[in-house]
Amino acid sequence: MTRFNQVTFSSDKSTVEIGMGLAWTDVYQRLQGSGYNVVGGRVQGPGVGGFTLGGGFSWKTNQFGLTCDTVKSYTLVLPNGTISHVDSSQPDLYFALKGGLNRFGIVTSAKYYTHNQVPTVYGGLASYDSSQASAVLNATAQFSQSNTNPKAVVISSLVSSTNGTSPLTLFYYDGPTRPASFAPFDNIATVASTVAPQSFASFVNNFPASTSAGIRGYFDTISTSGYTATFLAAVKNESDFWTSQLPLHGGTSLTYGIEPFLDSYGSLATDSAFPHSNAPRPMSIMFEWASAADDHFWTSAQQSSKNTLKNAAIKEGLYVPISYPNYAIIGTTARQLYGQNAARLSAIRKRVDPANVMELAGGYFF
C-alpha cells in the first residue's frame, strides 16, 4: 500500500485526495504551510487507511465530526476486482465504508473535505507524578462537564509499568494560546511538559503510539456518554489493582485512556456504519505482557477490568452499548460494534462480496 501516497488538492482546495498507504504524520507534514488541514489521526503511528475505515476520532472531531464524516468519496477496489469511486450516489457502500473497516474491498484513496488551519496551535503532553493521579482525573471530569469550546480537547491517561503509574494529559487547542477551558488543570504540578505553541504537524509528531517489538497485548474499549468523578475513581481503582499484578504475572504496561468529547459532535454525524449521532466517548484499555505463558491471565484480566468499568458506567448512567472499531478487541461482535446497523452491513457485504473474498484479510466478521 505504500505506493498509494498521493496528497492532491482539488483546484479550489475544498478537498484533498489522500492515499491509504500514508501515515497521518506524513499527511500533516505535506499539508503544512498550505493553510488547510483535514480531520485525521492524533498521534504518530496510525495509517490513513485503517484509521479512516474505523471511523476516526480526531483532535478536530468536536468541530467537524469523525474522520469518516468528512470523506467526500472513496476509491474502492471491489472483491471482484473492479474499481469504483464511492460517494453519496452509492448510499449503501458509502455508509458501509464509514466505520465498516475492511469488509467491502480495498480502499486505495479517499477525498477528504478540508478546513482552514491556523499556522500555530497550542498543545502538548503534560506528565504528572503518580501522587497526582486523582487530581488529574478530577480535572478531567471537571473539563468534561464544563468545557463548551469545540477547539479545546484533552485526553487523559493512566499509564502503568512495573515502576508505577504515570498520569498523562494531552492538551490540544486549535489556536495559539492556552484557553480558559484548561483551567481545571492549572494548579496541578507537572513532572515534565511539552505544552507550547507549535505547528499542527509538530504537535502530532511528538506523540508516538507504538508498542515494543516482542511484547504481547491488546486494545479494548467501552463507550460512555461522559465522565463523572465517581466513574473516573473506578478507573483509578482498576489501574491501581492491575498495576499491582504486573510484576507477579510478567506484565509490562497498562493504559486507561479517557477522551472527553463534546455532546455537540454527535450533530455532525453522517449516515455511517459506526453509529455516533449520540456522541459516544471511546475509552481505551490496553494491557501488555511479555510471555505467551501469561496470555490467559492478562486476557482474562483485561476482560474483567472492562466488565468492572462497564458496570461502573451503568451505575452512573453513562454506559453506551457500542464499541469503537479502532479500539475494539478481536472477537468483538458486529452487534457490539455497530448496534442496529449490523444487519444492514451484513446485507451490503453479502451483495458486494458473495464469495467472501475479504474474509481472507482477517478482522471483524458480519
Side-chain angles (χ1 to χ4, degrees):
M1 295 291 287
T2 56
R3 294 187 181 183
F4 298 108
N5 60 5
Q6 68 269 41
V7 178
T8 308
F9 280 108
S10 61
S11 59
D12 62 358
K13 294 192 174 181
S14 64
T15 64
V16 60
E17 183 177 15
I18 301 174
M20 294 290 144
L22 291 168
W24 281 108
T25 47
D26 300 324
V27 174
Y28 298 140
Q29 288 289 346
R30 290 168 66 174
L31 292 177
Q32 186 165 281
S34 70
Y36 293 91
N37 206 346
V38 292
V39 178
R42 293 176 286 188
V43 294
Q44 285 185 36
V48 171
F51 182 87
T52 300
L53 296 176
F57 280 94
S58 170
W59 296 116
K60 304 299 188 91
T61 285
N62 284 338
Q63 298 181 72
F64 304 106
L66 300 191
T67 296
C68 66
D69 296 317
T70 68
V71 175
K72 181 179 181 180
S73 65
Y74 302 83
T75 302
L76 175 69
V77 182
L78 290 161
N80 65 8
T82 61
I83 298 173
S84 180
H85 297 283
V86 180
D87 57 19
S88 58
S89 67
Q90 300 184 63
D92 278 349
L93 262 181
Y94 192 47
F95 158 86
L97 294 175
K98 293 185 175 189
L101 299 167
N102 62 346
R103 299 292 84 196
F104 307 95
I106 298 172
V107 177
T108 61
S109 69
K111 291 182 180 179
Y112 300 78
Y113 291 108
T114 62
H115 58 267
N116 292 328
Q117 179 60 59
V118 295
T120 303
V121 302
Y122 179 89
L125 176 66
S127 304
Y128 305 91
D129 185 78
S130 60
S131 63
Q132 300 283 14
S134 292
V136 170
L137 293 177
N138 287 337
T140 304
Q142 186 177 343
F143 174 88
S144 175
Q145 295 161 14
S146 64
N147 179 47
T148 59
N149 187 339
K151 295 183 178 182
V153 185
V154 304
I155 300 175
S156 290
S157 302
L158 297 180
V159 180
S160 301
S161 70
T162 53
N163 294 321
T165 299
S166 298
L168 308 174
T169 299
L170 287 167
F171 293 93
Y172 177 74
Y173 182 65
D174 206 15
T177 57
R178 187 178 180 90
S181 299
F182 293 162
F185 297 88
D186 284 352
N187 295 321
I188 307 174
T190 60
V191 173
S193 176
T194 63
V195 182
Q198 56 193 298
S199 71
F200 185 85
S202 172
F203 165 75
V204 172
N205 203 47
N206 282 332
F207 313 128
S210 57
T211 57
S212 301
I215 295 298
R216 309 171 73 81
Y218 291 106
F219 269 97
D220 206 350
T221 186
I222 66 167
S223 296
T224 65
S225 59
Y227 298 103
T228 62
T230 300
F231 175 74
L232 293 184
V235 174
K236 183 177 182 299
N237 287 341
E238 286 299 294
S239 175
D240 288 347
F241 176 76
W242 293 112
T243 297
S244 73
Q245 301 300 299
L246 288 172
L248 304 178
H249 299 278
T252 58
S253 71
L254 313 171
T255 301
Y256 293 83
I258 299 112
E259 305 182 15
F261 292 98
L262 294 177
D263 283 337
S264 56
Y265 97 78
S267 66
L268 303 168
T270 56
D271 187 30
S272 305
F274 175 62
H276 55 283
S277 61
N278 61 342
R281 280 73 159 176
M283 178 181 171
S284 61
I285 306 168
M286 184 174 71
F287 281 27
E288 294 182 312
W289 58 96
S291 171
D294 294 309
D295 283 357
H296 178 72
F297 178 86
W298 285 113
T299 55
S300 298
Q302 187 176 36
Q303 184 62 51
S304 174
S305 189
K306 175 182 175 179
N307 288 341
T308 298
L309 293 176
K310 173 183 173 180
N311 290 333
I314 290 171
K315 188 174 181 179
E316 288 288 288
L318 300 173
Y319 182 64
V320 177
I322 210 77
S323 295
Y324 174 43
N326 283 343
Y327 289 169
I329 196 168
I330 191 70
T332 302
T333 68
R335 183 75 179 186
Q336 291 169 324
L337 293 169
Y338 303 112
Q340 294 183 349
N341 288 344
R344 182 180 174 188
L345 286 166
S346 179
I348 297 167
R349 184 197 61 78
K350 290 174 183 177
R351 186 168 66 250
V352 171
D353 187 16
N356 297 323
V357 171
M358 293 310 298
E359 288 192 5
L360 298 173
Y364 306 101
F365 298 99
F366 46 76

